[in-house]
Amino acid sequence: MPAPPNVTNPLAPAAPASAEPTLYDRTRARGDDLRAKPKVASTVDKRIRQHLKGRMTVWERIDALKDPGTDPVVLYQNWGAKLDGASIVTAVCQVGGRPTAVYGHDFTVRAGSINATNGAKLARLMRMAAERGIPLVGMNDSAGAFVPAGVGGLDGYSEAFTALRRISGRIPSVMCMFGYNAGGGAYLPRQGSFVIQPGNTFFGLTGPGVVKSVLGEDVTPDELGGPSVHSQSGVVDRTADDELDALRQTRKLLSYLPSCNEHGPPTRTTSDPLDRKTWAVDTLLRKAIDSPTGFNTPFDMSIVIQDICDHGEYFELQPTRARNIITAFGRVDGDVVGFVANNSAVSSGQIDVDASLKTARFVRFCNIYNIPMIFLEDTTGFLPGTDQERRGIVHAGRAMLDSIIDLRTPRLLLIVRNAFGGAYCAFNCYPTGADHVLALPTTRLAVMGPAGKEFVYKKELRAARGSAPAKVAELIAEGRTRDEAEAEVKAWLAGIEADLGVRYEEELMNPNEALSLGSISEIVQPDNVRQALGTSLRFHLSHYTPGPLAGVQREFH
Amino acid sequence: MPRIAHDRRLADHASAWVRSFDCSHLSILIVCRGPIRKEAIDVFREMGVAKVGMLLSEKDSVVYPRALAPDVRIMPPERIHPVPDYTGATKAERVERVAQICAIAHEHGYTHVFAGYGFMSEDADFVRSLEKAGLIFIGPSSRVVEAAGAKDEAKRTALQVDVSVTPGVDDLTSRALFAKHGSVAGMVAAAGALGVSADVDGAEHLDAAERLLQASYAAGVDLLTIDEIAAQAQTEVDALLADLPGKRLRLKAIGGGGGKGQRILSAGDDAASLYREILSEVKATGVGDNKNVLVELNVEETRHNEIQLIGNGTWTVSMGGRDCSLQMHEQKLLEVSITQPMLTAAAAARRAAGDEAMAAALETECTLVARMEAEGERFGEAVGLNSASTFECIVDGDRHYFMEVNTRIQVEHRVSELCAILRFRNPDNPEEHFDVDSVVEVMGLLAAHGPRLPRPELAPRHMASLEARLNATDDSLSPHAGGEISEWSAPIEGEVRDDQGICLPNPDTGDFVPYRLAGAYDSNVALLLTVGADRQASYEHLAEVLRRTELTGHDLSTNIGFHYGLVHWFLGTDVHARPTTRFVSAYLVLVARLARAAEKIDLDTAYDALLKAPEGEDRKAWATVSLMKRTLVLRPAQRLLDRPHTFSAWLSSVRRRVDWSGDSPRWTVNPVTVLHGVYELLEMLSPAPSRPSARIWDHDRALLDDAMAFYASVQAELGTDDWATVDAALSGASPAFGSAEQWAAVQGAHRGHQAGLGVFTLLVKVACETGFYDLAPAADGSIPVPAELLTAAAHAEAKRTLSPPPPQSADQVVAVSGGMFYAQEAPGMPPLAEKGQVIEAGQPMYIIEVMKMFNKVKAPFACTVDEVLVSGDATIVTKGQPLFKVTPRERVEVVDPAVVRAAAKKQTKEWMTGL
């Protein structure tokens, strides 16, 4: 019978015989065992299974997240009846040079499930992070409640939910969704500030199996709760290619955020001169406006943001959802700024339900964490239509408006091109509390867009249209056929309307009235945008004292 | 590490003569883009040039987000000059651009202009305009560009100085003019009637015709119609084919480049219509354009060699040669140095090793290079070359034919400068000298001090060099635009990387700045170069560079995998093998076959078959080993199957480690070593604590280390590392060493560590059946390519296999949103998509106006418009409303992945029973 296979090295030199351990030696050895227990509980075969799914273990994820060459301080290492940490790792790591609270489910230990006790462990970490004012990163990879734990497991979740809510607004948190998280594991992270989901992961109320049995719906995990689904609803703020990418993005995002609500975000001296001319903005607008579609040519507003920011670097939130508005962090002269910018390249830059909600959330976050904001306006208004009304555009628009009114950090508005009607009113104009409103000469600020000529030139248009039948008769008298006459008069009317349109655009769709009323403080040339915004920001920031929000709690959203 | 960045200033040199060549008084405007731009910025600054400025086009700044040209990061804003584009789409725009460049130069005080190897670099008109504007062009003068750049003119010069040329006709238009009028007088009269005259005294008839034609170009008048020349082309083609039976001919526009304006024809082809196609392609159909086309023998088995020349108007010196045969669609991919010292040394080394066939072949190659270098220098002196140029030849066996001269610096110039140092000695005092190791630097010196520079000597630098062009292409080498680079590891020791500045970090944070490869221009991202004491070393070093490069991002596709496979192919056969220009597309057919074969392999099935407990044995032990080794074995194997080019690289790297003599392939080395080798090839062994999922898992590492240690001990005990001996010893019932009790464990370990590695045997067997190993060099280094790899059908099939499937295609194009539909961009402009029009994917197709924004909507896939379904203009449409009825160019066949998997399981089972 051939020898059974093994994968050891039987020829490895045997360990030298050691002396009989003393009582003290044995005590120390027990200490070593305890320290090693969380990692040992994760047996090799379980780690192999995790790796077979293409996922990292929680310890590997911590390695990828923390600063190289630093060691995490693991807290409550031996929590739980089995003394193995209860399948959640809670630690404080150095991330971007700052101590950061980190937790991660250990899927290799009882599938990372929440039982009666580890919800409490998670809550302790969160409370400590809030007390010390350090950010929180969650690496979620949990199969959900540990069923044998019964109600204790549910209570565990409630304790964790509550703790996370109670620290919300005190410290920012970034939640990574790894693996398949269902039920509580899906809710808990969204209580955090930002959620990042890589590909090949799922989270949702329940998995496809339950959905199939309850509703008869046949869906794949990706179709039900993958990144392509959640990024469209705003449940997820960023998608990533894989776990490593998600953790890298986490580090990047954290570099823009303060440790807690008592401070502003970390500043960073920059070598990019504040007086650098923004030629890209100038060229972009020139190309758009000198093109055959003139002032009605869409362009990508992110290029303006890129040209304003230090060394062109910015970080977008929800980049694949409602990109008719761009929400992004960037730095101007070393200070972190929250940008909200209409983007005419997508859906003509209209503001719809998704754009409003996306903006409202972002503005509220900046408000809580002392982040100044710059609004870049180029929108023809809120999107009309039955779809929007059914989804509650009034409600959503109100949420956006309220968030802007409530904003207490320094906030600037640059009107880039279009600013019509209600959208102008809502979008950080002076009455809503803007600190400084600047405008480019390409500004078209009016109660209504070009259709407004119908109202302003009502008399002229009525007269022209009224005289049309008479003109037709005249032409017939001169020898034209009826068709010819009607065509000619139609062309003449179209010419009148076009001329009035041009007149409207020149007389009313410009910044003059706004300037005279003080709705716009001054005109800025497109190549000077960075310097103008940066100088104003520096001034207003210097008179702003960062600190926690205080005051009346406003209704809803 | 090759010395690239260093102080080149001559102003502080001890010798006054050397100081006299100082270039700090120059102010240079760089008008091109690409890796050469950053290289030029660096070199000119190192030379101490007073100021260096660059143009920045809209496509490199505002058209695409996150695609701002990286070299902007090292330029002060006042030295960056915005232009709509680097050249012009039309002739009128080009003229405008040239004027703009002159204006920028005057306004900002630039004295010199550098155009790299792009748009304006071989344009005689451009150079003349600069000369007229009082600016100095860093490159050959307009006179040289005309003499050497125009293919027919160049061919005539070549003949005059005894340069070997391809048989053919280079004066087609002259012949046509003479054929039309029959006499010199007739030609003169006809020309005169159109206001064109030239001095034809004493000229024989074809020469007279040529002079009249040149005059007509200057006057902007046509002396011939396109049809007349086309007819003459047919006549000449028929005559040549009669003289060269069984051969093919090549028609070449005199003004083409990069493969444009060329057609191959055989007997029976319509030369006249091919002629017309060529003219359209190079946009030479205007009145007064030079419509001459070369008619030449098409050399079939071509290798592409070129000589780097520099000259000062009096002398011309060769810096050595480059072999650029590794190319696809006329685009070079991998360029290798060919110099006499290297080839001589290589021949001697082969002779010493007893390889007489290769030694002789290398000596022949060396003689060929010597001849080409000598001819290049003669040619350069004949045209008065006064900067850098490349003398390009096609090589067939031991014959070479002059093809053309590129009157500019080329992408692959570093290959030559890495192998040669130009030493300029003071003729009055040979002790005083200075060295130049950069072609860009010498171009600057020639522009500033050309006539005074003495003829340089060549001093040795590195013996061999190699360049890989890193392009944003997919596995079929087709351009893949839109990806974004988010991470690129730093260059390793000995890696020369010309990356346009992409790797320059954000100065504030030190982080990598993501860069989007928008595909606005060509697909080249960077150039990677290595050197070596011989060609083998340079190839090994490039393989190491490619192995250790971590280049990742979103939707990113580059040819780094392709290069890895190609470099390993030569390392696995012979780095001195001589591929022809058809090699790469044939090689791709093989890689495509590997991809197809990979689809049929189900690794889980194979592994389970190998790890199944044999009859009567301990099931539990086998199950444990199966689980423990699963990721160790399957993870790297799956990576090979997922990446056909990496699969190719691995197959080449193990080529000599397989014994094919039996029914099944057997490894001649320990399969554990093979496994270790796969991990190394995939760069999964070196530490990267912050990238655990990019490396071998820790438990797999422990197993692999145990296995390697085990066999090291076994080899020590047995006193041999011959695998067959070790395997036999360990399989014996009685202990070959150690105690009987231990022997069970030892045998068990041997079985355990070998278990599952048959997966790699399967990979090699399946690959061999695709014919991958049938492509191999002959004893003399030539590479016979099986005919089936050369057909257009095979190439098309390879592309379909290796290129990702196209996006959804359908019979209709529907409105992306509700709004007002417009067929054209603005009133008075032509419609964007008309009936019968062929539309490319991404081409604007219609306008939707929503909320007063006129959105240009692009075609989702390539198609032909059968019918426009929207009547009238300015019509309201709803979202999803059909706008065009179309025929898509490519129909996607939807394959159910479950079916593919099931087929793979079945096929793999069959294979495993065979092994």
Side-chain angles (χ1 to χ4, degrees):
Chain A
M1 177 61 63
N6 66 68
V7 280
T8 63
N9 179 9
L11 298 175
S18 49
E20 184 67 32
T22 68
L23 175 58
Y24 184 66
D25 287 332
R26 291 200 301 274
T27 313
R28 275 200 63 135
R30 276 201 295 277
D32 285 335
D33 285 342
L34 283 168
R35 286 186 64 82
K37 228 177 164 66
K39 296 213 174 145
V40 164
S42 160
T43 51
V44 175
D45 62 307
K46 289 276 178 12
R47 296 210 309 272
I48 291 174
R49 283 190 222 282
Q50 179 79 342
H51 289 149
L52 272 168
K53 291 180 207 156
R55 299 183 201 153
M56 292 195 276
T57 65
V58 64
W59 302 105
E60 286 162 347
R61 289 166 183 159
I62 288 175
D63 279 340
L65 174 69
K66 67 181 172 60
D67 293 343
T70 63
D71 288 316
V73 175
V74 183
L75 304 171
Y76 306 114
Q77 284 183 37
N78 301 103
W79 186 286
K82 299 204 197 268
L83 293 173
D84 59 9
S87 69
I88 280 194
V89 175
T90 48
V92 177
C93 300
Q94 289 291 111
V95 179
R98 289 192 298 196
T100 306
V102 177
Y103 79 84
H105 298 101
D106 191 342
F107 199 85
T108 61
V109 176
R110 296 184 296 284
S113 49
I114 301 287
N115 60 22
T117 69
N118 56 14
K121 176 176 172 179
L122 200 46
R124 280 207 199 180
L125 177 78
M126 292 174 183
R127 285 194 287 267
M128 185 276 295
E131 272 162 37
R132 290 289 162 249
I134 62 175
L136 174 71
V137 174
M139 302 185 297
N140 298 279
D141 184 6
S142 163
F146 188 58
V147 176
V151 176
L154 296 178
D155 276 342
Y157 259 122
S158 290
E159 195 169 349
F161 288 146
T162 309
L164 189 46
R165 181 60 186 170
R166 294 238 169 96
I167 68 169
S168 167
R170 161 69 183 156
I171 55 168
S173 51
V174 180
M175 296 291 174
C176 293
M177 303 304 291
F178 298 142
Y180 277 29
N181 295 276
Y187 274 101
L188 179 78
R190 187 59 271 189
Q191 291 180 290
S193 316
F194 298 102
V195 179
I196 303 180
Q197 185 182 11
N200 292 320
T201 60
F202 163 87
F203 73 93
L205 203 52
T206 58
V210 175
V211 166
K212 173 96 198 229
S213 60
V214 168
L215 293 175
E217 255 181 42
D218 207 351
V219 284
T220 66
D222 197 56
E223 286 165 352
L224 182 62
S228 55
V229 171
H230 290 310
S231 61
Q232 295 311 296
S233 61
V235 169
V236 151
D237 296 293
R238 296 273 304 195
T239 57
D241 292 322
D242 53 28
E243 293 188 12
L244 271 181
D245 187 22
L247 292 166
R248 200 168 301 122
Q249 288 192 39
T250 302
R251 288 176 56 87
K252 192 86 219 170
L253 176 52
L254 283 172
S255 72
Y256 288 100
L257 309 179
S259 306
C260 67
N261 65 350
E262 289 172 18
H263 315 117
T267 57
R268 196 189 276 281
T269 40
T270 181
S271 56
D272 193 359
L274 185 57
D275 58 4
R276 166 172 61 77
K277 294 273 172 251
T278 46
W279 288 117
V281 178
D282 187 58
T283 310
L284 188 68
L285 286 168
R286 181 189 303 277
K287 264 174 72 72
I289 287 163
D290 284 348
S291 80
T293 38
F295 265 89
N296 303 325
T297 310
F299 61 82
D300 192 322
M301 188 66 97
S302 66
I303 292 177
V304 177
I305 298 177
Q306 185 179 303
D307 211 12
I308 293 172
C309 288
D310 293 347
H311 296 295
E313 200 168 342
Y314 61 94
F315 189 89
E316 246 189 275
L317 283 319
Q318 301 191 9
T320 54
R321 175 197 187 209
R323 207 169 178 265
N324 31 317
I325 262 196
I326 299 175
T327 50
F329 290 122
R331 283 197 148 82
V332 180
D333 202 22
D335 289 308
V336 173
V337 172
F339 285 91
V340 174
N342 304 120
N343 183 18
S344 59
V346 176
S347 302
S348 301
Q350 313 143 113
I351 305 177
D352 54 18
V353 168
D354 286 300
S356 304
L357 294 176
K358 174 177 165 178
T359 305
R361 180 159 229 287
F362 186 68
V363 172
R364 292 224 170 270
F365 180 85
C366 291
N367 196 17
I368 294 169
Y369 291 104
N370 303 294
I371 301 175
M373 299 198 71
I374 293 177
F375 290 76
L376 303 173
E377 186 164 6
D378 178 22
T379 177
T380 47
F382 286 90
L383 177 63
T386 50
D387 183 54
Q388 291 298 302
E389 294 294 351
R390 278 196 203 120
R391 292 185 59 202
I393 180 70
V394 175
H395 202 27
R398 175 254 170 112
M400 181 181 88
L401 170 63
D402 284 351
S403 70
I404 292 174
I405 294 170
D406 291 349
L407 188 55
R408 63 185 174 134
T409 58
R411 44 179 162 126
L412 318 177
L413 170 66
L414 175 71
I415 307 180
V416 174
R417 183 179 42 184
N418 295 322
F420 299 149
Y424 161 76
C425 296
F427 210 69
N428 195 37
C429 55
Y430 271 123
T432 65
D435 288 304
H436 196 173
V437 176
L438 305 150
L440 298 183
T442 45
T443 293
R444 303 200 300 176
L445 204 172
V447 175
M448 272 194 82
K453 68 174 184 280
E454 292 291 326
F455 295 92
V456 175
Y457 301 120
K458 202 158 52 176
K459 259 197 272 180
E460 289 91 328
L461 282 167
R462 205 187 282 162
R465 286 174 188 146
S467 72
K471 277 211 149 52
V472 169
E474 232 180 83
L475 289 171
I476 290 174
E478 283 174 16
R480 313 265 207 289
T481 69
R482 174 152 282 271
D483 280 346
E484 277 174 354
E486 282 181 353
E488 223 177 283
V489 171
K490 190 169 170 199
W492 168 78
L493 256 181
I496 301 262
E497 282 172 7
D499 286 343
L500 283 173
V502 170
R503 206 174 123 195
Y504 180 78
E505 298 210 2
E506 282 176 11
E507 288 180 4
L508 287 163
M509 290 180 64
N510 58 52
N512 296 0
E513 192 189 354
L515 282 163
S516 74
L517 292 173
S519 307
I520 299 173
S521 167
E522 76 252 35
I523 295 287
V524 172
Q525 290 291 15
D527 56 289
N528 211 34
V529 162
R530 174 176 156 86
Q531 177 166 25
L533 288 170
T535 311
S536 179
L537 188 71
R538 167 90 27 247
F539 168 67
H540 289 289
L541 256 181
S542 68
H543 295 278
Y544 173 77
T545 311
L549 263 179
V552 179
Q553 163 81 346
R554 305 284 176 204
E555 294 172 31
F556 304 111
H557 289 278
Chain B
M1 178 73 197
R3 194 172 80 132
I4 301 293
H6 62 93
D7 189 354
R8 301 174 196 269
R9 285 174 305 173
L10 300 176
D12 299 326
H13 203 276
S15 146
W17 177 81
V18 172
R19 287 201 300 275
S20 72
F21 293 102
D22 170 47
C23 290
S24 54
H25 58 285
L26 268 53
S27 295
I28 305 176
L29 176 64
I30 302 171
V31 303
C32 58
R33 66 176 307 280
I36 186 70
R37 175 162 69 188
K38 175 158 183 303
E39 182 186 340
I41 293 171
D42 289 339
V43 169
F44 292 143
R45 281 185 179 160
E46 288 161 9
M47 288 169 77
V49 159
K51 59 180 182 235
V52 179
M54 62 177 254
L55 300 182
L56 181 66
S57 90
E58 288 168 6
K59 284 195 201 131
D60 272 337
S61 55
V62 300
V63 174
Y64 304 99
R66 303 168 75 86
L68 178 62
D71 25 15
V72 155
R73 293 171 216 168
I74 53 168
M75 292 292 280
E78 65 272 14
R79 296 273 158 259
I80 302 172
H81 308 286
V83 289
D85 209 341
Y86 298 106
T87 180
T90 62
K91 194 157 179 189
E93 266 181 52
R94 202 173 175 133
V95 167
E96 204 185 295
R97 189 74 58 250
V98 172
Q100 191 179 8
I101 289 172
C102 294
I104 291 172
H106 284 136
E107 191 187 327
H108 297 272
Y110 296 108
T111 54
H112 292 66
V113 171
F114 180 74
Y117 41 70
F119 312 100
M120 307 282 226
S121 61
E122 269 182 295
D123 186 345
D125 288 332
F126 175 55
V127 181
R128 248 197 306 274
S129 307
L130 291 175
E131 287 163 357
K132 266 197 217 128
L135 297 164
I136 301 172
F137 181 62
I138 300 183
S141 57
S142 54
R143 183 180 42 80
V144 172
V145 174
E146 272 163 343
K151 291 192 183 39
D152 52 351
E153 180 76 42
K155 198 163 180 183
R156 272 174 233 134
T157 309
L159 281 165
Q160 278 161 20
V161 293
D162 194 25
V163 165
S164 161
V165 298
T166 333
V169 162
D170 60 5
D171 51 1
L172 178 66
T173 41
S174 307
R175 293 180 184 213
L177 189 63
F178 184 74
K180 181 172 178 179
H181 300 290
S183 67
V184 174
M187 292 193 295
V188 168
L194 292 166
V196 173
S197 63
D199 174 19
V200 300
D201 280 339
E204 59 85 41
H205 61 290
L206 288 177
D207 189 19
E210 182 60 29
R211 292 185 200 183
L212 286 167
L213 282 165
Q214 290 295 336
S216 77
Y217 304 145
V221 167
D222 274 344
L223 295 180
L224 291 161
T225 65
I226 292 181
D227 285 342
E228 284 165 347
I229 310 174
Q232 188 68 29
Q234 188 69 63
T235 310
E236 298 300 338
V237 160
D238 292 340
L240 273 170
L241 284 173
D243 279 340
L244 304 162
K247 298 282 187 194
R248 302 195 297 172
L249 298 180
R250 183 183 283 256
L251 297 179
K252 267 181 5 191
I254 58 165
K260 275 203 162 82
Q262 303 197 19
R263 294 289 185 279
I264 299 179
L265 52 71
S266 327
D269 284 341
D270 185 347
S273 72
L274 287 175
Y275 167 76
R276 286 191 197 90
E277 267 180 49
I278 287 175
L279 273 195
S280 294
E281 197 171 274
V282 298
K283 299 189 169 78
T285 50
V287 176
D289 280 345
N290 185 339
K291 301 184 177 63
N292 197 11
V293 158
L294 297 178
V295 185
E296 292 181 340
L297 168 70
N298 185 47
V299 181
E300 297 298 337
E301 283 288 315
T302 59
R303 289 167 46 225
H304 180 145
N305 285 358
E306 56 189 38
I307 305 292
Q308 179 65 56
L309 300 174
I310 54 158
N312 78 336
T314 310
W315 50 257
T316 297
V317 158
S318 155
M319 285 177 69
R322 303 184 285 259
D323 185 324
C324 307
S325 308
L326 289 166
Q327 49 178 256
M328 174 114 154
H329 301 323
E330 322 272 333
Q331 302 296 313
K332 297 168 188 171
L333 290 160
L334 193 69
E335 299 113 341
V336 198
S337 66
I338 42 170
T339 58
Q340 294 181 54
M342 188 214 37
L343 292 166
T344 311
R350 291 300 174 104
R351 181 156 287 123
D355 185 352
E356 191 53 44
M358 274 308 286
L362 286 162
E363 277 166 354
T364 306
E365 205 180 340
C366 192
T367 315
L368 208 58
V369 169
R371 260 192 262 137
M372 287 189 289
E373 290 192 89
E375 286 182 12
E377 288 180 357
R378 280 205 298 279
F379 187 96
E381 282 168 8
V383 300
L385 176 62
N386 57 354
S387 185
S389 288
T390 308
F391 183 77
E392 304 217 351
C393 299
I394 45 180
V395 171
D396 182 10
D398 60 350
R399 312 267 328 266
H400 76 278
Y401 304 104
F402 164 70
M403 192 165 60
E404 61 182 7
V405 169
N406 288 324
T407 55
R408 55 180 161 86
I409 189 174
Q410 289 196 275
V411 174
E412 60 271 22
H413 63 280
R414 276 219 206 268
V415 169
S416 295
E417 74 188 35
L418 284 169
C419 295
I421 291 182
L422 297 163
R423 181 158 291 158
F424 293 93
R425 275 194 201 281
N426 184 351
D428 299 326
N429 179 3
E431 293 287 302
E432 297 180 354
H433 71 270
F434 66 97
D435 288 348
V436 174
D437 60 10
S438 150
V439 174
V440 173
E441 185 183 0
V442 85
M443 286 174 78
L445 282 163
L446 285 165
H449 306 288
R452 279 186 52 235
L453 276 167
R455 186 194 182 91
E457 310 161 5
L458 282 189
R461 199 173 168 188
H462 300 277
M463 270 297 246
S465 67
L466 184 55
E467 172 179 277
R469 294 202 194 185
L470 181 62
N471 299 332
T473 50
D474 61 26
D475 281 344
S476 75
L477 302 185
S478 313
H480 179 100
E484 186 170 293
I485 304 178
S486 58
E487 196 196 354
W488 195 342
S489 52
I492 67 168
E493 175 74 33
E495 175 184 351
V496 178
R497 186 190 293 179
D498 285 318
D499 63 7
Q500 310 183 62
I502 292 172
C503 293
L504 291 167
N506 179 325
D508 298 343
T509 62
D511 289 341
F512 185 88
V513 180
Y515 179 63
R516 191 147 161 261
L517 303 170
Y521 297 105
D522 61 57
S523 61
N524 183 235
V525 177
L527 308 166
L528 307 174
L529 295 113
T530 53
V531 296
D534 54 26
R535 185 178 288 182
Q536 176 81 16
S538 67
Y539 264 85
E540 282 169 359
H541 209 83
L542 185 60
E544 182 66 4
V545 166
L546 297 169
R547 186 179 81 88
R548 286 167 57 183
T549 299
E550 303 202 70
L551 176 59
T552 54
H554 183 66
D555 190 24
L556 186 66
S557 196
T558 68
N559 63 354
I560 210 171
F562 161 78
H563 279 299
Y564 202 34
L566 190 66
V567 167
H568 269 284
W569 193 90
F570 284 95
L571 284 170
T573 54
D574 187 339
V575 295
H576 280 290
R578 295 185 304 281
T580 66
T581 51
R582 302 194 288 193
F583 178 84
V584 171
S585 41
Y587 167 79
L588 268 191
V589 173
L590 290 176
V591 174
R593 287 193 192 160
L594 289 179
R596 281 252 177 267
E599 281 170 14
K600 301 200 185 84
I601 300 176
D602 184 78
L603 286 176
D604 287 311
T605 307
Y607 185 76
D608 289 335
L610 290 164
L611 270 290
K612 189 166 172 208
E615 198 57 51
E617 287 205 35
D618 180 357
R619 285 251 192 96
K620 198 146 175 257
W622 280 94
T624 307
V625 170
S626 173
L627 176 65
M628 296 298 282
K629 289 190 65 173
R630 199 171 198 100
T631 46
L632 174 67
V633 174
L634 294 189
R635 193 165 172 236
Q638 189 63 54
R639 280 202 192 177
L640 292 181
L641 293 183
D642 292 339
R643 303 167 195 184
H645 286 291
T646 313
F647 192 11
S648 159
W650 178 70
L651 289 168
S652 292
S653 71
V654 298
R655 197 172 186 131
R656 298 198 190 95
R657 296 162 136 198
V658 184
D659 172 8
W660 298 100
S661 57
D663 293 327
S664 273
R666 286 172 55 249
W667 295 104
T668 60
V669 297
N670 188 342
V672 168
T673 325
V674 173
L675 176 66
H676 189 272
V678 182
Y679 272 102
E680 266 191 337
L681 187 90
L682 296 170
E683 175 57 344
M684 289 171 76
L685 288 178
S686 57
S690 62
R691 300 171 55 82
S693 57
R695 293 292 183 271
I696 187 172
W697 298 126
D698 53 355
H699 48 86
D700 289 338
R701 177 107 223 200
L703 269 181
L704 189 60
D705 285 346
D706 271 352
M708 299 287 282
F710 169 69
Y711 284 108
S713 303
V714 167
Q715 280 166 207
E717 291 281 1
L718 293 176
T720 176
D721 60 5
D722 172 58
W723 172 241
T725 315
V726 168
D727 192 23
L730 287 171
S731 312
S734 48
F737 56 84
S739 67
E741 302 87 51
Q742 194 195 43
W743 191 242
V746 168
Q747 281 206 309
H750 178 57
R751 297 179 85 209
H753 287 306
Q754 292 299 318
L757 298 184
V759 157
F760 294 102
T761 320
L762 174 66
L763 257 48
V764 158
K765 175 181 147 90
V766 171
C768 186
E769 282 169 14
T770 67
F772 182 79
Y773 288 130
D774 295 341
L775 183 66
D780 69 348
S782 62
I783 308 175
V785 177
E788 43 158 13
L789 301 180
L790 297 170
T791 65
H795 298 162
E797 174 64 33
K799 178 163 164 37
R800 264 196 301 277
T801 306
L802 293 172
S803 216
Q808 289 292 310
S809 58
D811 290 326
Q812 289 179 328
V813 169
V814 304
V816 295
S817 76
M820 183 95 70
F821 168 90
Y822 290 91
Q824 64 277 322
E825 206 176 337
M829 295 184 71
L832 291 167
E834 290 180 289
K835 182 169 172 169
Q837 195 169 336
V838 172
I839 308 275
E840 296 300 321
Q843 184 177 327
M845 227 174 149
Y846 60 96
I847 305 280
I848 280 269
E849 183 251 304
V850 189
M851 302 284 282
K852 282 303 160 196
M853 279 294 138
F854 287 77
N855 301 282
K856 229 182 271 190
V857 183
K858 302 188 176 149
F861 50 86
C863 58
T864 309
V865 179
D866 296 327
E867 219 185 301
V868 181
L869 299 171
V870 185
S871 59
D873 208 20
T875 336
I876 298 277
V877 296
T878 52
K879 181 171 175 170
Q881 177 177 336
L883 302 174
F884 301 95
K885 187 164 175 313
V886 298
T887 307
R889 186 180 302 160
E890 282 236 38
R891 290 228 168 262
V892 195
E893 17 164 317
V894 181
V895 181
D896 184 1
V899 168
V900 173
R901 265 199 307 277
K905 281 188 164 56
K906 188 158 173 280
Q907 173 68 78
T908 308
K909 262 205 190 96
E910 280 172 34
W911 275 324
M912 294 315 293
T913 50
L915 267 180

